[in-house]
Amino acid sequence: MLVRHPLFALFWVGSAYASSNKCLSSNAIGTKSYNACCTGQSSGIETIKGVEFRYTCEQYALDSNGDYGTASTAATAADCAGQCAENPECVVSTWFATRKKCLSYSDMGFRPHSEKYWMTFVRTGKTTDEKGGTDGPNCEEKVTAATAQCKAEEAKACETEKAALEQKIRAECKKDAEEKCKGISHEQCREIETKCSSDKLAMGKELQDKCNVEKAALSAKCDEEKANKDKELQESQKKWEMAMTALKNTCDADKGAKEQCETELTALKISCAADKSAKEHCEKDKAELSKKHDEERDSKKKLEQENKDLISKFEEEKEAQEKASKEEKAKLEEENNKLKEIIAASGGGPGGPVKPDVLPSGPENSTTPCPHIHGKEYTVDGVTYQAFCGKMTRGRVINRNVDGGILLGSSPAIVMKVCSMEPTCQGIFCDNVGHCNIYIDYQFPPTEDLTGARNEQVYSLIPVQPRQNSANANALSASSVLAGNLFGGCPHTHKQKITIASHTFDFRCREARGGSSMSVGTGGIRYPSWCMAACAATPGCVGTSMGTSTCTYYSSLDNLDKLEETSERPLSQYWVARLTDQS
């Protein structure tokens, strides 16, 4: 019988890969196989069936979706790695030693996980060709050599069988002839042997022809198997190239991921450094904030104490103000009572309400008021006057030569104020040069006409109602003068408060005061009440005084000076009246 050698068997004969692999060459089963791979090391690189794998101990893989791969049985680590080596689409396989299970994956994005007695086998992309062996994706030469070897061995086997057959035929014919040649001649025996050999050789030729036919058929079969194997190898090479491309992409992706990881790690280090710096700043800010809080707390306590002190001071001041207010109220009531007396003395009070002041202004209140004031009414300190230009009243006047009863250079407002506070005044007449007389007799309207250029500025100011002469005269008024006291008041009015036209004066006898004098628009007045009325009617006037002449007015006053009487300075003629709200 002819011996036939399958082509795939011959193919792998030339690809035997001698390896000193510790892991994948072990015949141990289950956990013993695991221990052979993982004792003393956790990973390694080994080759099986021409494919190089990197294995890792205590690790299993899941695909990118987290699922298990295709399961199969594998008693050893080599079985599981070998199954992956035989499948070109397999990228990684996982072996569970205790259950002898193998999981295969074609997913490049597999995910590794840690677990004892598990191993992963990942293709490195290298084969035994790349490591100096004969296996690999380019197998055409090996297939051709295997085919030639197949044909040569078949031919050799055929010739060997043919020679053996001829030798056997000759031996059998010779033996058969020896048995048949007993009792016959040598020539007959030789013919029998020759015929036997001839017949059997013919049979051998027939067998040889048959062998040749079988040889040709075998050669055709070898060619067919070669073509099939070439096709399988081409497909395997394509799959291998696809797997290698995918693996390269995975490697590139891993490289990119590594670079990204390193970039992120660098960024993380920078971020950590920034966080550390921010933390230090935060701690510093916290310390400063705590310090500021303590300072604010101390400041708050200080402010609270100051507030308490202010409240206490405010209470004291409030109490003092209330006391002063009571005193001021009593003072105002006293002044009000005096004012009521003055109003009563000037025709106000129960006889009728006091009208508000209506004073002349502008040209009306000058040394040339006519004809502006003619026919107009003015109310001054409760007394209403009517002005008459070119008219003079009839009656008695205060003797200006003896009693000083003349107002020199006075304006209408001042002379009306003097008249209003003087109970004996029943009217005023002013001549062309501003010298005004006080009338103590009442005549309304004036009856004497004065005409001519020299009388253009003569006028009379007459109360529309007669004054009550029976009213008690002020101690400083002209009625006291008429009674024989020229300067009036001293010494019994010394240190009294005299209120005139809502202004209160501190009246001092036998005292003098220096200061800055001023003009009040009138002169020649010697009566204290008239002088105080003129000062009260003049803005800026703070006091008035008199010595041996007429009144002097001041915009500022020095301290009082107590006077000593001499022959040149009789003290009865000296007095000072100072507004109480001035220093």
Side-chain angles (χ1 to χ4, degrees):
M1 178 180 288
L2 294 177
V3 179
R4 295 174 175 81
H5 301 277
L7 181 61
F8 66 87
L10 294 173
F11 173 73
W12 286 111
V13 168
S15 64
Y17 178 71
S19 173
S20 58
N21 293 348
K22 172 185 175 182
C23 177
L24 300 183
S25 62
S26 173
N27 294 323
I29 297 174
T31 56
K32 292 182 179 180
S33 176
Y34 176 87
N35 292 334
C37 295
C38 299
T39 300
Q41 59 186 9
S42 60
S43 63
I45 297 177
E46 295 190 11
T47 303
I48 188 169
K49 295 185 179 180
V51 179
E52 185 180 78
F53 288 91
R54 179 187 297 276
Y55 69 86
T56 304
C57 301
E58 294 189 4
Q59 187 184 82
Y60 70 94
L62 298 177
D63 64 14
S64 57
N65 295 322
D67 297 329
Y68 291 98
T70 303
S72 62
T73 301
T76 66
D79 289 343
C80 187
Q83 291 178 22
C84 186
E86 292 174 354
N87 182 3
E89 295 182 357
C90 178
V91 175
V92 60
S93 62
T94 291
W95 182 57
F96 190 17
T98 57
R99 294 192 179 183
K100 304 180 183 65
K101 293 291 183 181
C102 183
L103 304 174
S104 299
Y105 302 89
S106 60
D107 187 354
M108 294 294 181
F110 66 89
R111 302 176 183 176
H113 300 273
S114 298
E115 188 67 35
K116 191 175 181 181
Y117 291 120
W118 282 86
M119 294 181 67
T120 56
F121 300 92
V122 182
R123 283 180 182 259
T124 64
K126 295 181 180 180
T127 63
T128 51
D129 270 350
E130 295 171 330
K131 298 179 70 68
T134 58
D135 281 350
N138 299 321
C139 304
E140 292 182 1
E141 294 180 0
K142 292 186 285 184
V143 172
T144 301
T147 303
Q149 182 182 357
C150 174
K151 291 181 179 181
E153 289 185 1
E154 289 293 338
K156 183 178 179 181
C158 186
E159 292 297 331
T160 301
E161 288 182 0
K162 178 182 177 183
L165 182 60
E166 288 179 352
Q167 186 177 0
K168 182 178 180 181
I169 289 172
R170 292 181 186 279
E172 288 178 352
C173 286
K174 185 176 181 180
K175 184 179 180 180
D176 188 44
E178 287 178 355
E179 291 179 355
K180 291 181 178 181
C181 286
K182 291 180 179 182
I184 62 174
S185 64
H186 181 71
E187 288 79 7
Q188 290 176 335
C189 181
R190 190 170 183 83
E191 288 178 1
I192 292 172
E193 183 179 355
T194 301
K195 186 176 185 300
C196 177
S197 297
S198 178
D199 292 339
K200 290 192 175 184
L201 286 173
M203 185 182 296
K205 186 176 183 304
E206 182 181 352
L207 289 173
Q208 184 178 8
D209 293 339
K210 185 178 180 181
C211 178
N212 290 334
V213 172
E214 290 181 355
K215 180 179 178 182
L218 182 60
S219 177
K221 185 176 181 181
C222 284
D223 292 339
E224 183 181 356
E225 288 183 0
K226 177 180 179 297
N228 292 335
K229 184 56 68 175
D230 286 341
K231 184 177 180 181
E232 291 178 1
L233 288 174
Q234 288 176 359
E235 293 177 354
S236 177
Q237 183 174 1
K238 288 181 180 179
K239 291 181 179 180
W240 183 86
E241 289 175 351
M242 290 174 62
M244 290 304 102
T245 301
L247 188 60
K248 182 177 181 301
N249 293 337
T250 301
C251 290
D252 292 341
D254 290 344
K255 182 179 179 181
K258 181 180 178 182
E259 292 175 352
Q260 179 67 24
C261 180
E262 291 176 351
T263 301
E264 292 177 355
L265 181 60
T266 302
L268 184 60
K269 289 180 179 179
I270 295 173
S271 177
C272 287
D275 290 343
K276 182 179 179 181
S277 177
K279 183 178 179 182
E280 292 175 353
H281 282 295
C282 182
E283 293 295 334
K284 183 178 179 181
D285 292 343
K286 183 178 179 182
E288 291 179 354
L289 186 62
S290 177
K291 181 180 178 181
K292 184 177 180 181
H293 176 72
D294 293 340
E295 292 175 352
E296 289 179 350
R297 182 185 59 196
D298 296 339
S299 178
K300 183 179 179 181
K301 289 182 179 179
K302 184 178 179 181
L303 288 174
E304 288 176 351
Q305 184 60 42
E306 290 178 353
N307 190 37
K308 289 181 180 178
D309 295 341
L310 287 174
I311 291 174
S312 178
K313 185 178 180 181
F314 173 76
E315 294 294 339
E316 293 176 358
E317 291 179 351
K318 181 180 178 182
E319 184 177 353
Q321 287 178 357
E322 289 177 351
K323 182 178 179 181
S325 178
K326 290 180 180 179
E327 294 176 353
E328 184 68 19
K329 182 178 179 182
K331 181 179 178 181
L332 289 174
E333 288 178 352
E334 180 182 356
E335 292 178 353
N336 187 45
N337 292 333
K338 290 182 179 180
L339 182 60
K340 288 179 180 179
E341 293 177 0
I342 294 173
I343 292 173
S346 62
V354 177
K355 294 182 180 180
D357 284 0
V358 178
L359 298 174
S361 61
E364 299 175 4
N365 193 36
S366 66
T367 56
T368 56
C370 289
H372 309 293
I373 64 173
H374 182 67
K376 294 184 178 180
E377 290 187 357
Y378 303 99
T379 300
V380 181
D381 294 338
V383 180
T384 301
Y385 300 85
Q386 185 171 353
F388 299 91
C389 288
K391 294 283 187 178
M392 184 178 71
T393 186
R394 294 284 186 178
R396 294 173 297 165
V397 297
I398 296 176
N399 190 330
R400 63 183 182 182
N401 294 323
V402 177
D403 302 326
I406 188 171
L407 303 175
L408 301 177
S410 300
S411 65
I414 290 179
V415 296
M416 282 189 286
K417 262 193 176 299
V418 170
C419 184
S420 293
M421 55 80 55
E422 175 55 60
T424 61
C425 178
Q426 297 290 354
I428 301 170
F429 171 75
C430 297
D431 62 19
N432 202 47
V433 293
H435 293 177
C436 301
N437 292 322
I438 302 297
Y439 278 78
I440 58 176
D441 289 327
Y442 182 75
Q443 185 182 58
F444 186 88
T447 58
E448 186 174 350
D449 292 326
L450 299 176
T451 59
R454 296 184 59 184
N455 297 319
E456 288 180 353
Q457 294 299 326
V458 298
Y459 60 91
S460 295
L461 294 166
I462 309 298
V464 296
Q465 296 292 335
R467 306 288 299 283
Q468 299 296 324
N469 289 331
S470 60
N472 294 327
N474 189 292
L476 301 180
S477 68
S479 57
S480 298
V481 176
L482 296 177
N485 185 354
L486 178 62
F487 301 104
C490 288
H492 60 274
T493 55
H494 181 58
K495 292 186 178 181
Q496 287 189 9
K497 298 293 191 295
I498 308 299
T499 300
I500 295 177
S502 302
H503 292 272
T504 301
F505 291 85
D506 181 11
F507 194 87
R508 301 296 181 99
C509 295
R510 299 183 180 182
E511 292 183 3
R513 170 175 286 192
S516 300
S517 61
M518 62 180 293
S519 173
V520 298
T522 186
I525 302 177
R526 304 181 68 183
Y527 300 130
S529 57
W530 294 5
C531 294
M532 286 186 285
C535 182
T538 304
C541 182
V542 298
T544 181
S545 69
M546 192 183 76
T548 59
S549 181
T550 58
C551 291
T552 302
Y553 304 92
Y554 300 92
S555 61
S556 65
L557 285 169
D558 297 335
N559 292 330
L560 292 174
D561 183 16
K562 190 71 175 178
L563 299 177
E564 297 294 335
E565 186 173 12
T566 65
S567 58
E568 293 83 12
R569 185 172 58 190
L571 293 183
S572 61
Q573 298 180 10
Y574 283 84
W575 55 264
V576 175
R578 178 181 62 88
L579 283 172
T580 57
D581 57 349
Q582 302 294 325
S583 59

